[in-house]
Amino acid sequence: MAESAKPATSMRSLERAIDILEVFDASQHALRLTEIARRAGLPIATTQRILGVLEARGRVERDANGYRPGVGLIFGAHAYLATSPLLNAARPVLQDLAAATGLTASLFKRIGWFRVVLARVDGATPLRYELPIGERLPLHLGAGKALAAQMTDDELAGFLDQLDSHTRADGSTVDRDQFLAELSTIRELGYSQARGEREPGMASVAAPVPDPAGASAAVQVTGTYTDVPEDRVPQLGVELQRAALAIARRTP
Amino acid sequence: MAESAKPATSMRSLERAIDILEVFDASQHALRLTEIARRAGLPIATTQRILGVLEARGRVERDANGYRPGVGLIFGAHAYLATSPLLNAARPVLQDLAAATGLTASLFKRIGWFRVVLARVDGATPLRYELPIGERLPLHLGAGKALAAQMTDDELAGFLDQLDSHTRADGSTVDRDQFLAELSTIRELGYSQARGEREPGMASVAAPVPDPAGASAAVQVTGTYTDVPEDRVPQLGVELQRAALAIARRTP
DNA sequence: GACAACTTCACCACTGTGTGGAAAGATGGG
DNA sequence: CCCATCTTTCCACACAGTGGTGAAGTTGTC
């Protein structure tokens, strides 16, 4: 847990409030005051004071079981989804992609060592499993590889170091060299593919959205093994690259 | 704009940061520093300092055009959606409702003088217009009436006072007495209905989710005029009440 | 190309806000 | 009923947050 720099602007109280909010981003159920304080690494009294404000402002809710994220958080996300140039550029492209392929098309963005689902348009057969917007998914499985392939060498090293195990949904494990080899294939081809890596029975093809400032987004189509037979992959790959390019073009 | 009390806990800087975030909740495009400061009613220097922190923490993004909401906001919303007892209770019920009626089922919650879309399950015919989660909709049109009908007299008075015009999507206007009469009908029947009030060509039926602490959520089904013929409404009304009750029962 | 208008940034001395230890109050298990 | 754990309230001090000011950067107009 090496603490990094605290460079330019600093505001302790705000910074701490965000720390507390981030505690909620992770866990699934209501948390007690003491627990939140512990996880955020803050004194209890301070934690409580901050939670009080957050609660008053609808950012946090509360019941007998403790504190939970509050409805107020919804608006920010909605505002982000509505104003993001990337998303506005991607939306029609995803529609087209879903219509043209009959598969479910999604847009991901890399955040730290994860990727996040930003948008999704269902194809002919809506997927059976949920994949709600905002979900955090790994970078080393499925469409994550399209993003991992775009990392700089330094980033990649850092990423691999914090990855403890690399096991796919089908139980197979991948070692570092295999993975690096795959990433370089992805860079060559311009798209990634996966079968049952993150979700058993599901296949996907993905392409990074080119971006001068280092690509951090990717488009993907997903479907069952039957929807995405092996021999359809190259064609889908090309279509995805076209889509990724279209998104990049339309992004201001 | 009567300022209310600022009782218990107060933390100026945090409070102000939230004010700034709320500025973004409203507007559609990137905002300049000066503009944000103006809207939040804060000194420029202070605004900038806060924005700096928010940006560093991914809550705000920035480009040549100014500041926009940041991706970081997504996680909070996701956490809320995942942990809200109301939502977890509602999800399966909405599924059933959509399956049983073939219509699109949604859950709303009242927040201030608005209602917010919390969840939506598409029916047989997915709706043509978007209604993304987090969207703020009026309380006096469509399914909003089911929520308005649950307000206390005081709340209702306050609500009507700040409502400047009451015009439906079809152009017809409603006066105060008409509206109050309709609300009391809704209370009697236990469900509300609307045709082309908020969205032309669309009809909906909605029922409030009972809650000891004053109902603030409602279930709804929507469809075209053809999907929801007049004579189907009473039956749907009953089904919605059942669904609303089921949600209330399942909510811890 | 020179001005004007606007926007953002860095500085810094003052002071009021946020801090957190400690003690009182709830809650609940055995 | 008592003890262990969690939550809330209190308060005096110190330092974090404040915001006026002016310089630096950007955009648009004539």
Side-chain angles (χ1 to χ4, degrees):
Chain A
M1 274 209 201
E3 281 310 312
S4 53
K6 37 190 64 189
T9 29
S10 174
M11 277 203 269
R12 198 152 62 139
S13 55
L14 213 198
E15 213 86 57
R16 288 169 160 194
I18 298 178
D19 288 341
I20 288 180
L21 284 173
E22 286 183 349
V23 167
F24 287 110
D25 289 357
S27 197
Q28 310 284 311
H29 31 254
L31 297 171
R32 325 238 54 170
L33 172 58
T34 318
E35 177 63 9
I36 298 171
R38 204 186 53 71
R39 296 202 196 181
L42 297 173
I44 293 194
T46 305
T47 305
Q48 204 223 23
R49 193 165 349 107
I50 293 174
L51 282 171
V53 178
L54 292 176
E55 188 193 357
R57 297 302 223 93
R59 256 58 189 178
V60 155
E61 284 171 15
R62 212 181 157 190
D63 59 27
N65 299 320
Y67 297 85
R68 283 177 289 106
V71 223
L73 298 171
I74 294 270
F75 301 114
H78 183 256
Y80 171 74
L81 294 172
T83 58
S84 161
L86 173 65
L87 260 162
N88 284 319
R91 223 152 348 224
V93 177
L94 291 177
Q95 302 270 15
D96 290 351
L97 204 55
T101 61
L103 303 170
T104 295
S106 351
L107 182 78
F108 295 95
K109 183 174 173 119
R110 186 183 142 211
I111 308 283
W113 300 139
F114 292 92
R115 62 188 156 116
V116 188
V117 188
L118 289 189
R120 171 174 147 181
V121 177
D122 278 316
T125 341
L127 303 186
R128 62 167 197 287
Y129 65 90
E130 298 262 331
L131 192 72
I133 288 171
E135 185 90 341
R136 253 185 252 237
L137 301 174
L139 275 179
H140 61 293
L141 296 176
K145 295 181 296 183
L147 289 169
Q150 304 299 314
M151 295 199 275
T152 64
D153 289 350
D154 283 358
E155 282 178 319
L156 194 52
F159 171 62
L160 292 172
D161 285 349
Q162 59 81 50
L163 236 196
D164 36 280
S165 84
H166 191 144
T167 309
R168 294 174 168 165
D170 61 11
S172 63
T173 48
V174 184
D175 72 26
R176 195 168 170 132
D177 289 339
Q178 269 179 293
F179 188 60
L180 290 174
E182 192 179 358
L183 292 188
S184 95
T185 310
I186 292 171
R187 273 188 288 268
E188 246 167 68
L189 289 174
Y191 63 87
S192 73
Q193 63 171 308
R195 317 210 123 227
E197 289 192 8
R198 199 186 58 76
E199 195 73 30
M202 304 301 291
S204 69
V205 184
V209 176
D211 174 355
S216 70
V219 225
Q220 181 209 38
V221 290
T222 331
T224 60
Y225 284 173
T226 336
D227 295 333
V228 190
E230 300 262 15
D231 59 8
R232 199 185 164 190
V233 169
Q235 178 226 325
L236 284 175
V238 174
E239 245 171 304
L240 277 163
Q241 288 179 76
R242 235 199 319 262
L245 192 62
I247 295 175
R249 282 247 167 81
R250 296 173 35 99
T251 309
Chain B
M1 262 157 245
E3 280 310 313
S4 52
K6 34 192 66 191
T9 29
S10 173
M11 277 203 268
R12 199 154 58 141
S13 55
L14 214 200
E15 213 86 57
R16 286 170 160 191
I18 299 179
D19 289 341
I20 289 180
L21 284 173
E22 287 184 347
V23 167
F24 287 111
D25 288 358
S27 198
Q28 308 286 311
H29 30 252
L31 297 171
R32 328 236 56 167
L33 172 58
T34 317
E35 177 63 9
I36 298 171
R38 204 184 54 71
R39 296 202 198 181
L42 296 174
I44 293 195
T46 305
T47 305
Q48 202 217 27
R49 194 164 350 106
I50 293 174
L51 282 170
V53 178
L54 292 176
E55 188 192 0
R57 296 303 223 92
R59 255 60 191 177
V60 155
E61 285 171 15
R62 212 183 157 186
D63 59 27
N65 298 320
Y67 297 85
R68 284 177 291 106
V71 223
L73 298 170
I74 293 272
F75 301 115
H78 183 257
Y80 171 74
L81 294 172
T83 57
S84 161
L86 172 65
L87 260 161
N88 285 319
R91 220 146 0 216
V93 176
L94 292 176
Q95 302 267 16
D96 290 350
L97 206 54
T101 62
L103 303 170
T104 295
S106 353
L107 181 78
F108 296 95
K109 184 176 172 118
R110 185 182 142 213
I111 307 285
W113 300 139
F114 293 92
R115 62 190 156 117
V116 189
V117 189
L118 289 188
R120 170 174 147 180
V121 177
D122 279 317
T125 341
L127 303 186
R128 60 166 198 288
Y129 66 88
E130 298 261 333
L131 192 72
I133 288 171
E135 185 90 342
R136 253 184 250 238
L137 301 174
L139 275 179
H140 61 293
L141 296 177
K145 294 180 298 183
L147 289 169
Q150 304 299 314
M151 295 200 275
T152 64
D153 290 348
D154 283 358
E155 282 179 319
L156 193 52
F159 172 61
L160 291 172
D161 285 348
Q162 57 82 51
L163 236 197
D164 34 282
S165 83
H166 190 144
T167 309
R168 295 174 166 163
D170 60 12
S172 63
T173 49
V174 184
D175 72 26
R176 193 165 171 136
D177 289 339
Q178 268 179 298
F179 189 59
L180 289 174
E182 192 178 0
L183 293 188
S184 96
T185 309
I186 292 171
R187 273 187 290 267
E188 246 167 69
L189 290 173
Y191 63 87
S192 73
Q193 62 169 308
R195 315 212 124 227
E197 290 192 7
R198 201 187 56 76
E199 195 73 31
M202 303 301 291
S204 69
V205 185
V209 177
D211 174 355
S216 70
V219 224
Q220 182 209 40
V221 290
T222 331
T224 60
Y225 285 173
T226 337
D227 294 335
V228 189
E230 299 263 15
D231 59 8
R232 200 185 163 191
V233 170
Q235 178 227 325
L236 285 174
V238 174
E239 245 170 305
L240 278 162
Q241 288 180 76
R242 233 195 326 255
L245 191 62
I247 295 175
R249 282 249 166 80
R250 296 173 37 98
T251 310

